[in-house]
Amino acid sequence: MSLKFIKKLPTPDQIREEYPVSASMQELKKNRDKAISDVFTEKSDKFLVIIGPCSADNEDAVCEYVSRLAKVNEKVQDKLILIPRIYTNKPRTTGDGYKGIVHQPDPEKETDFLNGIIAMRKMQLRATNESGLTSADEMLYPENWGYVSDILSYVAIGARSVEDQQHRLVVSGFDVPAGMKNPTSGDFSVMLNSVYAAQHAHPFIYRGWEVNTTGNPLAHTILRGAVNKHGNSIPNYHYEDLVRLLEKYNERDLANPACIVDANHNNSNKQFKEQIRIVHEVIHSLRHNAGLRRLVKGVMVESYLEEGNQKIGEHIYGKSITDACLGWKDSEELIYRIADMV
């Protein structure tokens, strides 16, 4: 048998009991969840900014970043809701490179899932307790949901996971907004089919249990650009792309039509500074089309304390070890500019 079982990991209930959420944090999450959900159900016209490191690789640096973000949030909260990106899993199609803190709590050491799960939860808890901001994560492994479902206020499903049936079905049981990214092919139909599946009820097998879900009406789309057959980036944040997505939504019976525009990845061709220009263009498009203003609920930006990225082992505090990110100064200025524009 080639599938070798190494060791049984603690259940989500066991980890949550060891690292619990306080009563005050439960109340904070309840209020944050409602404020964010109200944007998707059009009870609020605030604009979402989901912003933070490409990968949350260092607890101290991530928590410092999120605490800085909280101070900015106080100044823009009448117009914006800032959601820190604390992404603890990194998709790796080839299997090489840093895979996120769940795999490698120490980026320079081998996989350690037990300590990785604990590191993930401890970092999410600390960041929220110190900042008062609940966060977003990418659910690369649906089985991880139970370890952080009482902490997160937003979940993203990546371009390589969005076609997977298990991801779609598990999202149908989430009680927070879940963004389904367009696949790397750029196919809007695949993305919208994923939203449709996530919004409906399903029976399926999960973690050894037969489960039923009621559907997640807050499932929505994320535009992150695409790749053509030659490997070249194809952006999909332009006015015409947004109009096309709106038309596709209008052809389908989906609850709460909504989109987040990811300003990095193939939209920027991974040129991190381009995120500033892209966000400006997106908001400019919304100001000229009321339908788009209702559809596009926010933007996603990769940002850290120091701009750019570094190789594992260089040890520059607050600098990405995966994709390059905006630095803090540019990020803060961009947030204030977004608040002025929306």
Side-chain angles (χ1 to χ4, degrees):
M1 183 177 179
S2 60
L3 184 63
K4 184 179 181 181
F5 291 85
I6 306 300
K7 60 183 174 183
K8 188 171 180 61
L9 296 172
T11 67
D13 286 343
Q14 290 171 327
I15 293 292
R16 287 164 69 149
E17 184 177 354
E18 187 171 356
Y19 302 97
V21 168
S22 66
S24 60
M25 187 170 163
Q26 290 176 17
E27 186 66 19
L28 169 67
K29 175 172 158 54
K30 178 181 176 182
N31 293 333
R32 284 270 294 178
D33 285 357
K34 183 179 187 308
I36 295 167
S37 297
D38 282 351
V39 174
F40 288 96
T41 59
E42 298 195 321
K43 295 176 183 176
S44 167
D45 62 357
K46 291 184 178 181
F47 197 70
L48 303 177
V49 180
I50 304 163
I51 185 169
C54 173
S55 296
D57 60 289
N58 178 286
E59 180 180 314
D60 289 340
V62 168
C63 289
E64 180 179 335
Y65 177 92
V66 176
S67 292
R68 289 190 193 184
L69 202 63
K71 295 176 182 178
V72 177
N73 187 67
E74 293 175 2
K75 299 177 183 178
V76 298
Q77 59 187 343
D78 58 327
K79 291 187 176 182
L80 308 180
I81 298 177
L82 304 187
I83 306 175
R85 282 174 53 110
I86 303 182
Y87 279 28
T88 56
N89 303 275
K90 180 67 179 174
R92 290 296 184 190
T93 52
T94 64
D96 295 329
Y98 179 64
K99 298 181 180 70
I101 202 167
V102 171
H103 274 262
Q104 296 166 272
D106 184 335
E108 297 182 49
K109 294 184 179 179
E110 296 298 317
T111 297
D112 182 354
F113 282 116
L114 173 58
N115 287 316
I117 290 169
I118 292 170
M120 170 179 67
R121 184 164 177 89
K122 286 176 65 179
M123 179 166 57
Q124 295 280 8
L125 283 170
R126 178 183 165 190
T128 297
N129 282 325
E130 291 182 1
S131 69
L133 300 179
T134 49
S135 60
D137 198 352
E138 180 175 334
M139 207 52 54
L140 180 61
Y141 304 112
E143 294 86 354
N144 285 359
W145 173 240
Y147 294 106
V148 287
S149 61
D150 56 341
I151 305 173
L152 301 179
S153 285
Y154 185 93
V155 173
I157 303 300
R160 297 162 190 83
S161 302
V162 74
E163 298 186 65
D164 175 62
Q165 181 168 324
Q166 188 187 27
H167 280 84
R168 295 177 176 191
L169 300 188
V170 172
V171 169
S172 74
F174 288 3
D175 57 357
V176 296
M180 319 298 279
K181 290 195 173 186
N182 65 261
T184 54
S185 68
D187 191 324
F188 280 13
S189 295
V190 169
M191 174 176 62
L192 288 163
N193 286 344
S194 185
V195 172
Y196 180 90
Q199 288 193 356
H200 286 75
H202 300 281
F204 58 98
I205 296 171
Y206 179 67
R207 297 184 66 90
W209 288 82
E210 178 183 341
V211 300
N212 290 319
T213 60
T214 57
N216 182 354
L218 303 177
H220 58 278
T221 57
I222 301 176
L223 296 182
R224 48 85 74 198
V227 181
N228 67 15
K229 64 181 181 181
H230 303 294
N232 300 322
S233 290
I234 307 171
N236 59 12
Y237 63 84
H238 295 304
Y239 182 88
E240 294 78 10
D241 298 300
L242 300 178
V243 169
R244 176 171 168 256
L245 179 59
L246 179 59
E247 291 171 349
K248 292 290 185 182
Y249 257 115
N250 290 337
E251 293 170 1
R252 296 169 180 252
D253 182 23
L254 292 170
N256 305 312
C259 170
I260 301 292
V261 177
D262 179 350
N264 211 15
H265 297 99
N266 290 116
N267 269 333
S268 69
N269 194 27
K270 295 194 175 182
Q271 302 300 306
F272 68 95
K273 285 278 194 179
E274 286 292 287
Q275 293 183 99
I276 299 170
R277 179 190 58 78
I278 291 167
V279 169
H280 289 171
E281 180 177 327
V282 169
I283 296 176
H284 180 75
S285 295
L286 309 188
R287 295 170 72 177
H288 287 273
N289 186 317
L292 296 185
R293 179 63 184 90
R294 292 184 64 187
L295 177 70
V296 178
K297 304 298 186 184
V299 291
M300 187 175 286
V301 176
E302 291 194 329
S303 154
Y304 212 175
L305 297 176
E306 301 293 335
E307 75 170 27
N309 60 353
Q310 63 181 322
K311 295 179 181 179
I312 293 174
E314 292 187 15
H315 302 295
I316 300 173
Y317 181 77
K319 191 170 188 176
S320 176
I321 60 172
T322 49
D323 290 351
C325 298
L326 289 179
W328 176 253
K329 182 176 182 295
D330 283 338
S331 302
E332 185 177 18
E333 290 175 356
L334 178 59
I335 293 169
Y336 292 138
R337 180 63 176 148
I338 294 170
D340 289 338
M341 292 179 71
V342 297

